[in-house]
Amino acid sequence: MSTERATAARWLRVFTVQRTATWLTAGIVIALVLVPLVTLLLASFRADGVTLPFDPGARFTLDGFGRVASDDQLWMLTRNTALFTAATLVVGIAISVLLAWIVERTDIAFRNLIFALVIAPIGIPMIVAGIAWSNLLAKKEGFVNTLLRGLFGLDGSEGPLNINTVYGMVFVEALIIVPFSFLLLTPVFRSMDPSLEEAAATSGAGAWGRLRRVVVPLLWPSLVAVVIYQFITVVQAFEIPVIIGLNADVRVFSTRVYEALQPTAGLPDYGVASIYSLLLLAVSLLPMIWYYRLIRRSERYTTVTGKGFRPRRLSLGRWRYPVYLFVGGYLLVAFVLPAVMMLWMSVQPFYTALTLDSLRRVNLDGYQALFTAEGLGPVVWNTTVLGVVSATLVTVLSVVHAWVLVRSRTRLSRVVDFLAFATHGIPGIVVGVSLLFGGLVLSRVTHIPLYGRVSILVIGMLIVTLGFATRILVSAVSRIHPELEEAALMCGASWRRTMTRIVGRLLMPAIVNTWVLAFVYAITNLSLTVILGTSQNRVLAVNLFTFWNFGKTQEAAAIAVILMLVSVVLTMIFRLRLGAGEER
């Protein structure tokens, strides 16, 4: 009898913890998502161009909407954003699909090594990739243009390629989205049952027929989901448009918000910034609703059942060497060239092509200036605190949310899950603008100095990383059957022991992966930190951007190399942990 009472007490405790955790995560997620958005919405109606939106003298007005409607840049911004997004998706997704098919469905050698190298560019921060390609494809001294002029005997001192166009932005952004798209697509190719293709072949269907009638229909839902996910990523992109686009006078919505907040002359226009942020948010969130509905119906396309199957790989035959050439070319362009370029720039007083004279100018002055500069210590400390604290908080919150969602399946937990996932549709620059207003209001009302502190960056980073963190951990918790917890409780284990010794250990690979990805994202993010950055909470990514803007390319490259080394090392650790998790 006493044993039954003890077991009942343990189950009661589990239900109590589930209920408490549900309301706790709901409160935190709702506050993280809704408070900044409501602040942004109010600001768009209270900005008359003269007073701050939340000053006592501010009034409700539609002046901001009038200024945006009469903005002669509106059509140009819409056209550039649409062209940049569409072209990037076509190029980036096509490369990703081809790489995923090669790795998972062909007999290519060194499959695991190629897999690791394809995702290695995740470790190169976006701002670093933008700067590297700005110099690799510079019209006069760019390495690629110099090489092409020499190889083909072209006349003139410029070209033939020019990075400072919208197509240059497309090229770099497409390379950036390939690794994550590849990660999303490889499990789909891996889990496709080859018996369906074999049945089609037995029925007389040729290679084109099997591709059109079997492979594409099975791949379609996952492909559409990846396209929508990356559409949201690209439409809100900031780093590449600001590094490459502004130099070419090619503006998109995200750079227009930045210019409204940080004009080269005059006062910031908070009204225009708020309304353009709302436009960007609407464009990002509409496909999110379709995406969420799509993944809820994913079971309609399930091909992995209890019936076992062995994946059949296609023999490449005489196509083996072109395929190796394609994979090698991608790795050269996406990883090797940007990394070598940043290393070269960090040891040159100014950027020039590789010559005997430039080799004589190699020095470490950039690193020396960086490490002896006044104020470096606080910047490194701010960056470290931002990365460690935001990664830890978002990982803990996502673990609790994932466990509550999978185990309780209440309506409230599903609503919270939608809100958490919807944060992926909120551009970093929009989060920055809304937190800027929120921080100023909080400082004025409560005298809590949030604006200008690292804490406001941590809150912003929690919002922008919550989407992918919850996706990773919800998927991981879903794979752990509740029978394990039930058996442990029935055998007398306490709830705490069950969670730490069983659930926690099984989740550890996913937890480590989530933390590393969130940390790398936090220390390299620019869209959020450049909006909320001040002299008190400055981080390395903002320092890099400032050096670049003021023409201190050697110092900027030195920071880029340091960020790249930290990110790549941690990304490789992430891959090793992922591999260990999959083997388990």
Short mmCIF file of all heavy atoms in Angstrom, two decimals, residues 182-231:
data_model
loop_
_atom_site.label_atom_id
_atom_site.label_comp_id
_atom_site.label_asym_id
_atom_site.label_seq_id
_atom_site.Cartn_x
_atom_site.Cartn_y
_atom_site.Cartn_z
N PHE A 182 20.99 22.23 -46.82
CA PHE A 182 21.55 20.88 -47.00
C PHE A 182 21.23 20.01 -45.77
O PHE A 182 20.82 18.85 -45.91
CB PHE A 182 23.06 21.00 -47.20
CG PHE A 182 23.80 19.71 -47.22
CD1 PHE A 182 23.84 18.93 -48.36
CD2 PHE A 182 24.47 19.27 -46.09
CE1 PHE A 182 24.54 17.73 -48.38
CE2 PHE A 182 25.17 18.08 -46.09
CZ PHE A 182 25.21 17.30 -47.24
N LEU A 183 21.39 20.58 -44.57
CA LEU A 183 21.09 19.83 -43.34
C LEU A 183 19.62 19.45 -43.27
O LEU A 183 19.27 18.37 -42.76
CB LEU A 183 21.46 20.68 -42.12
CG LEU A 183 22.93 20.71 -41.71
CD1 LEU A 183 23.13 21.67 -40.55
CD2 LEU A 183 23.42 19.32 -41.33
N LEU A 184 18.74 20.31 -43.77
CA LEU A 184 17.30 20.01 -43.73
C LEU A 184 16.91 18.98 -44.77
O LEU A 184 15.95 18.23 -44.57
CB LEU A 184 16.50 21.31 -43.95
CG LEU A 184 16.62 22.39 -42.87
CD1 LEU A 184 15.89 23.65 -43.31
CD2 LEU A 184 16.05 21.89 -41.55
N LEU A 185 17.62 18.93 -45.89
CA LEU A 185 17.21 18.07 -47.01
C LEU A 185 17.82 16.67 -46.94
O LEU A 185 17.20 15.72 -47.44
CB LEU A 185 17.60 18.73 -48.34
CG LEU A 185 16.75 19.93 -48.75
CD1 LEU A 185 17.38 20.66 -49.92
CD2 LEU A 185 15.34 19.48 -49.12
N THR A 186 19.00 16.54 -46.36
CA THR A 186 19.63 15.21 -46.37
C THR A 186 18.80 14.13 -45.68
O THR A 186 18.73 13.00 -46.19
CB THR A 186 21.04 15.27 -45.74
OG1 THR A 186 20.99 16.01 -44.51
CG2 THR A 186 22.04 15.90 -46.67
N PRO A 187 18.14 14.39 -44.55
CA PRO A 187 17.31 13.33 -43.95
C PRO A 187 16.16 12.91 -44.86
O PRO A 187 15.73 11.76 -44.83
CB PRO A 187 16.78 13.98 -42.66
CG PRO A 187 17.69 15.10 -42.37
CD PRO A 187 18.16 15.59 -43.70
N VAL A 188 15.66 13.83 -45.67
CA VAL A 188 14.55 13.50 -46.58
C VAL A 188 15.03 12.52 -47.64
O VAL A 188 14.38 11.49 -47.89
CB VAL A 188 14.02 14.78 -47.24
CG1 VAL A 188 12.84 14.44 -48.16
CG2 VAL A 188 13.60 15.79 -46.20
N PHE A 189 16.16 12.79 -48.26
CA PHE A 189 16.71 11.87 -49.27
C PHE A 189 17.07 10.53 -48.63
O PHE A 189 16.88 9.47 -49.22
CB PHE A 189 17.94 12.48 -49.93
CG PHE A 189 17.62 13.48 -50.99
CD1 PHE A 189 17.72 14.84 -50.74
CD2 PHE A 189 17.21 13.07 -52.26
CE1 PHE A 189 17.42 15.76 -51.73
CE2 PHE A 189 16.91 13.99 -53.25
CZ PHE A 189 17.01 15.34 -52.98
N ARG A 190 17.59 10.60 -47.38
CA ARG A 190 18.02 9.37 -46.71
C ARG A 190 16.84 8.46 -46.39
O ARG A 190 16.95 7.24 -46.41
CB ARG A 190 18.75 9.75 -45.41
CG ARG A 190 19.49 8.59 -44.74
CD ARG A 190 20.10 9.06 -43.44
NE ARG A 190 20.88 10.27 -43.65
CZ ARG A 190 21.12 11.17 -42.70
NH1 ARG A 190 20.60 11.00 -41.49
NH2 ARG A 190 21.85 12.23 -42.95
N SER A 191 15.67 9.04 -46.10
CA SER A 191 14.52 8.24 -45.65
C SER A 191 13.58 7.85 -46.76
O SER A 191 12.55 7.23 -46.50
CB SER A 191 13.75 9.03 -44.57
OG SER A 191 13.26 10.24 -45.12
N MET A 192 13.89 8.16 -48.01
CA MET A 192 13.01 7.79 -49.12
C MET A 192 13.16 6.31 -49.43
O MET A 192 14.26 5.84 -49.71
CB MET A 192 13.32 8.64 -50.36
CG MET A 192 12.86 10.09 -50.22
SD MET A 192 13.33 11.11 -51.62
CE MET A 192 12.40 10.34 -52.92
N ASP A 193 12.05 5.59 -49.37
CA ASP A 193 12.06 4.14 -49.60
C ASP A 193 12.33 3.86 -51.08
O ASP A 193 11.51 4.23 -51.93
CB ASP A 193 10.71 3.56 -49.18
CG ASP A 193 10.73 2.04 -49.16
OD1 ASP A 193 11.67 1.46 -49.73
OD2 ASP A 193 9.81 1.45 -48.56
N PRO A 194 13.43 3.18 -51.43
CA PRO A 194 13.75 2.93 -52.84
C PRO A 194 12.79 1.94 -53.50
O PRO A 194 12.76 1.84 -54.72
CB PRO A 194 15.17 2.37 -52.78
CG PRO A 194 15.29 1.78 -51.42
CD PRO A 194 14.46 2.65 -50.53
N SER A 195 11.99 1.22 -52.68
CA SER A 195 11.07 0.24 -53.28
C SER A 195 10.02 0.93 -54.16
O SER A 195 9.51 0.34 -55.12
CB SER A 195 10.37 -0.58 -52.19
OG SER A 195 9.56 0.26 -51.39
N LEU A 196 9.71 2.20 -53.84
CA LEU A 196 8.75 2.93 -54.66
C LEU A 196 9.31 3.19 -56.05
O LEU A 196 8.62 3.04 -57.07
CB LEU A 196 8.38 4.25 -53.97
CG LEU A 196 7.72 4.11 -52.58
CD1 LEU A 196 7.60 5.47 -51.91
CD2 LEU A 196 6.36 3.46 -52.72
N GLU A 197 10.59 3.58 -56.09
CA GLU A 197 11.23 3.80 -57.39
C GLU A 197 11.39 2.48 -58.14
O GLU A 197 11.23 2.42 -59.36
CB GLU A 197 12.59 4.47 -57.20
CG GLU A 197 12.51 5.86 -56.58
CD GLU A 197 13.87 6.39 -56.22
OE1 GLU A 197 14.66 6.65 -57.13
OE2 GLU A 197 14.14 6.54 -55.01
N GLU A 198 11.71 1.40 -57.39
CA GLU A 198 11.87 0.10 -58.03
C GLU A 198 10.56 -0.38 -58.63
O GLU A 198 10.51 -0.95 -59.72
CB GLU A 198 12.40 -0.90 -57.01
CG GLU A 198 13.84 -0.60 -56.56
CD GLU A 198 14.24 -1.41 -55.34
OE1 GLU A 198 13.39 -2.17 -54.85
OE2 GLU A 198 15.39 -1.26 -54.89
N ALA A 199 9.45 -0.12 -57.91
CA ALA A 199 8.14 -0.53 -58.43
C ALA A 199 7.82 0.24 -59.71
O ALA A 199 7.27 -0.31 -60.67
CB ALA A 199 7.07 -0.27 -57.37
N ALA A 200 8.18 1.55 -59.72
CA ALA A 200 7.93 2.34 -60.92
C ALA A 200 8.77 1.84 -62.09
O ALA A 200 8.30 1.77 -63.24
CB ALA A 200 8.24 3.81 -60.63
N ALA A 201 10.03 1.45 -61.79
CA ALA A 201 10.89 0.93 -62.85
C ALA A 201 10.36 -0.39 -63.40
O ALA A 201 10.37 -0.65 -64.61
CB ALA A 201 12.31 0.76 -62.31
N THR A 202 9.86 -1.25 -62.50
CA THR A 202 9.28 -2.52 -62.92
C THR A 202 8.07 -2.31 -63.82
O THR A 202 7.79 -3.09 -64.73
CB THR A 202 8.87 -3.34 -61.68
OG1 THR A 202 10.01 -3.48 -60.82
CG2 THR A 202 8.35 -4.71 -62.07
N SER A 203 7.35 -1.21 -63.55
CA SER A 203 6.16 -0.89 -64.37
C SER A 203 6.51 -0.23 -65.69
O SER A 203 5.62 0.18 -66.44
CB SER A 203 5.22 0.01 -63.56
OG SER A 203 4.84 -0.61 -62.36
N GLY A 204 7.80 -0.04 -65.95
CA GLY A 204 8.22 0.50 -67.24
C GLY A 204 8.58 1.96 -67.25
O GLY A 204 8.87 2.52 -68.31
N ALA A 205 8.59 2.62 -66.08
CA ALA A 205 8.91 4.04 -66.04
C ALA A 205 10.42 4.24 -66.21
O ALA A 205 11.22 3.53 -65.61
CB ALA A 205 8.46 4.65 -64.71
N GLY A 206 10.80 5.21 -67.03
CA GLY A 206 12.20 5.51 -67.22
C GLY A 206 12.71 6.40 -66.09
O GLY A 206 11.99 6.70 -65.13
N ALA A 207 14.01 6.83 -66.23
CA ALA A 207 14.61 7.65 -65.18
C ALA A 207 13.86 8.97 -65.00
O ALA A 207 13.58 9.39 -63.87
CB ALA A 207 16.08 7.92 -65.52
N TRP A 208 13.52 9.61 -66.13
CA TRP A 208 12.78 10.88 -66.05
C TRP A 208 11.39 10.68 -65.44
O TRP A 208 10.90 11.47 -64.65
CB TRP A 208 12.69 11.52 -67.43
CG TRP A 208 11.81 12.72 -67.48
CD1 TRP A 208 10.63 12.84 -68.14
CD2 TRP A 208 12.02 13.97 -66.81
NE1 TRP A 208 10.08 14.08 -67.95
CE2 TRP A 208 10.92 14.80 -67.14
CE3 TRP A 208 13.02 14.45 -65.98
CZ2 TRP A 208 10.80 16.09 -66.66
CZ3 TRP A 208 12.90 15.75 -65.51
CH2 TRP A 208 11.80 16.56 -65.84
N GLY A 209 10.74 9.57 -65.83
CA GLY A 209 9.40 9.29 -65.30
C GLY A 209 9.44 9.03 -63.81
O GLY A 209 8.56 9.48 -63.07
N ARG A 210 10.47 8.27 -63.34
CA ARG A 210 10.57 8.00 -61.90
C ARG A 210 10.84 9.29 -61.13
O ARG A 210 10.31 9.51 -60.05
CB ARG A 210 11.69 6.99 -61.63
CG ARG A 210 11.44 5.62 -62.19
CD ARG A 210 12.34 4.58 -61.55
NE ARG A 210 13.75 4.84 -61.80
CZ ARG A 210 14.41 4.44 -62.88
NH1 ARG A 210 13.77 3.75 -63.81
NH2 ARG A 210 15.69 4.70 -63.03
N LEU A 211 11.68 10.16 -61.74
CA LEU A 211 11.98 11.43 -61.08
C LEU A 211 10.73 12.30 -60.98
O LEU A 211 10.43 12.89 -59.94
CB LEU A 211 13.07 12.17 -61.86
CG LEU A 211 13.46 13.55 -61.34
CD1 LEU A 211 14.15 13.45 -59.99
CD2 LEU A 211 14.39 14.27 -62.32
N ARG A 212 9.95 12.35 -62.08
CA ARG A 212 8.79 13.26 -62.14
C ARG A 212 7.60 12.73 -61.35
O ARG A 212 6.90 13.50 -60.70
CB ARG A 212 8.41 13.45 -63.60
CG ARG A 212 7.30 14.46 -63.84
CD ARG A 212 7.23 14.82 -65.32
NE ARG A 212 7.00 13.66 -66.16
CZ ARG A 212 5.80 13.21 -66.48
NH1 ARG A 212 4.72 13.81 -66.02
NH2 ARG A 212 5.67 12.15 -67.27
N ARG A 213 7.38 11.39 -61.37
CA ARG A 213 6.17 10.84 -60.77
C ARG A 213 6.38 10.26 -59.38
O ARG A 213 5.40 10.01 -58.67
CB ARG A 213 5.59 9.77 -61.69
CG ARG A 213 5.15 10.32 -63.04
CD ARG A 213 4.56 9.25 -63.90
NE ARG A 213 4.08 9.79 -65.18
CZ ARG A 213 3.54 9.06 -66.12
NH1 ARG A 213 3.38 7.76 -65.94
NH2 ARG A 213 3.14 9.62 -67.25
N VAL A 214 7.62 9.97 -58.98
CA VAL A 214 7.85 9.36 -57.67
C VAL A 214 8.70 10.27 -56.78
O VAL A 214 8.27 10.66 -55.69
CB VAL A 214 8.54 7.98 -57.82
CG1 VAL A 214 8.81 7.37 -56.45
CG2 VAL A 214 7.67 7.05 -58.65
N VAL A 215 9.90 10.61 -57.25
CA VAL A 215 10.85 11.32 -56.39
C VAL A 215 10.35 12.73 -56.05
O VAL A 215 10.28 13.12 -54.88
CB VAL A 215 12.24 11.38 -57.06
CG1 VAL A 215 13.20 12.20 -56.20
CG2 VAL A 215 12.79 9.97 -57.26
N VAL A 216 9.98 13.49 -57.09
CA VAL A 216 9.56 14.88 -56.84
C VAL A 216 8.31 14.97 -55.97
O VAL A 216 8.27 15.76 -55.02
CB VAL A 216 9.38 15.63 -58.17
CG1 VAL A 216 8.74 16.99 -57.95
CG2 VAL A 216 10.72 15.78 -58.87
N PRO A 217 7.24 14.14 -56.23
CA PRO A 217 6.07 14.22 -55.34
C PRO A 217 6.41 13.89 -53.88
O PRO A 217 5.85 14.50 -52.97
CB PRO A 217 5.11 13.19 -55.94
CG PRO A 217 5.47 13.13 -57.37
CD PRO A 217 6.96 13.31 -57.41
N LEU A 218 7.31 12.92 -53.66
CA LEU A 218 7.67 12.59 -52.28
C LEU A 218 8.52 13.69 -51.65
O LEU A 218 8.42 13.98 -50.46
CB LEU A 218 8.47 11.27 -52.25
CG LEU A 218 7.66 10.00 -52.50
CD1 LEU A 218 8.59 8.79 -52.57
CD2 LEU A 218 6.64 9.79 -51.40
N LEU A 219 9.33 14.32 -52.48
CA LEU A 219 10.23 15.36 -51.97
C LEU A 219 9.52 16.70 -51.80
O LEU A 219 9.95 17.54 -51.00
CB LEU A 219 11.40 15.51 -52.95
CG LEU A 219 12.56 16.43 -52.58
CD1 LEU A 219 13.26 15.92 -51.33
CD2 LEU A 219 13.53 16.55 -53.75
N TRP A 220 8.42 16.88 -52.51
CA TRP A 220 7.79 18.19 -52.63
C TRP A 220 7.44 18.85 -51.28
O TRP A 220 7.80 20.02 -51.06
CB TRP A 220 6.54 18.08 -53.51
CG TRP A 220 5.88 19.39 -53.77
CD1 TRP A 220 4.68 19.83 -53.29
CD2 TRP A 220 6.41 20.46 -54.56
NE1 TRP A 220 4.42 21.09 -53.73
CE2 TRP A 220 5.46 21.51 -54.52
CE3 TRP A 220 7.58 20.64 -55.30
CZ2 TRP A 220 5.65 22.71 -55.18
CZ3 TRP A 220 7.77 21.84 -55.96
CH2 TRP A 220 6.81 22.85 -55.90
N PRO A 221 6.75 18.18 -50.34
CA PRO A 221 6.40 18.86 -49.09
C PRO A 221 7.63 19.35 -48.33
O PRO A 221 7.65 20.48 -47.83
CB PRO A 221 5.65 17.79 -48.29
CG PRO A 221 5.19 16.82 -49.30
CD PRO A 221 6.24 16.80 -50.37
N SER A 222 8.66 18.51 -48.26
CA SER A 222 9.88 18.92 -47.54
C SER A 222 10.58 20.05 -48.27
O SER A 222 11.10 20.98 -47.65
CB SER A 222 10.83 17.73 -47.39
OG SER A 222 10.20 16.68 -46.68
N LEU A 223 10.59 19.97 -49.60
CA LEU A 223 11.24 21.02 -50.38
C LEU A 223 10.53 22.36 -50.20
O LEU A 223 11.16 23.40 -50.03
CB LEU A 223 11.25 20.61 -51.86
CG LEU A 223 12.06 21.51 -52.80
CD1 LEU A 223 13.51 21.58 -52.38
CD2 LEU A 223 11.93 21.03 -54.24
N VAL A 224 9.19 22.32 -50.24
CA VAL A 224 8.43 23.55 -50.04
C VAL A 224 8.69 24.11 -48.64
O VAL A 224 8.85 25.33 -48.45
CB VAL A 224 6.92 23.29 -50.24
CG1 VAL A 224 6.10 24.50 -49.82
CG2 VAL A 224 6.65 22.95 -51.69
N ALA A 225 8.77 23.22 -47.64
CA ALA A 225 9.03 23.67 -46.27
C ALA A 225 10.40 24.35 -46.17
O ALA A 225 10.54 25.39 -45.52
CB ALA A 225 8.96 22.47 -45.32
N VAL A 226 11.41 23.78 -46.83
CA VAL A 226 12.74 24.38 -46.80
C VAL A 226 12.73 25.73 -47.52
O VAL A 226 13.33 26.71 -47.04
CB VAL A 226 13.77 23.43 -47.47
CG1 VAL A 226 15.12 24.12 -47.61
CG2 VAL A 226 13.91 22.16 -46.65
N VAL A 227 12.01 25.80 -48.64
CA VAL A 227 11.94 27.07 -49.38
C VAL A 227 11.29 28.15 -48.53
O VAL A 227 11.78 29.30 -48.46
CB VAL A 227 11.17 26.87 -50.71
CG1 VAL A 227 10.88 28.22 -51.36
CG2 VAL A 227 11.96 26.00 -51.66
N ILE A 228 10.20 27.81 -47.84
CA ILE A 228 9.53 28.80 -47.02
C ILE A 228 10.44 29.24 -45.86
O ILE A 228 10.54 30.43 -45.54
CB ILE A 228 8.20 28.24 -46.48
CG1 ILE A 228 7.24 28.00 -47.64
CG2 ILE A 228 7.57 29.20 -45.47
CD1 ILE A 228 5.96 27.31 -47.23
N TYR A 229 11.09 28.25 -45.24
CA TYR A 229 11.99 28.58 -44.12
C TYR A 229 13.10 29.53 -44.59
O TYR A 229 13.39 30.54 -43.94
CB TYR A 229 12.59 27.28 -43.58
CG TYR A 229 13.41 27.46 -42.33
CD1 TYR A 229 12.84 27.34 -41.07
CD2 TYR A 229 14.78 27.75 -42.41
CE1 TYR A 229 13.58 27.52 -39.94
CE2 TYR A 229 15.53 27.93 -41.26
CZ TYR A 229 14.93 27.80 -40.03
OH TYR A 229 15.69 27.99 -38.89
N GLN A 230 13.69 29.23 -45.72
CA GLN A 230 14.78 30.08 -46.20
C GLN A 230 14.27 31.39 -46.80
O GLN A 230 14.99 32.38 -46.81
CB GLN A 230 15.63 29.32 -47.24
CG GLN A 230 16.39 28.13 -46.67
CD GLN A 230 17.45 28.53 -45.65
OE1 GLN A 230 17.40 29.58 -45.03
NE2 GLN A 230 18.43 27.66 -45.45
N PHE A 231 13.03 31.41 -47.29
CA PHE A 231 12.45 32.67 -47.74
C PHE A 231 12.42 33.67 -46.58
O PHE A 231 12.79 34.85 -46.74
CB PHE A 231 11.02 32.43 -48.25
CG PHE A 231 10.24 33.70 -48.48
CD1 PHE A 231 10.35 34.40 -49.67
CD2 PHE A 231 9.40 34.21 -47.49
CE1 PHE A 231 9.64 35.58 -49.88
CE2 PHE A 231 8.69 35.39 -47.68
CZ PHE A 231 8.81 36.07 -48.88
#
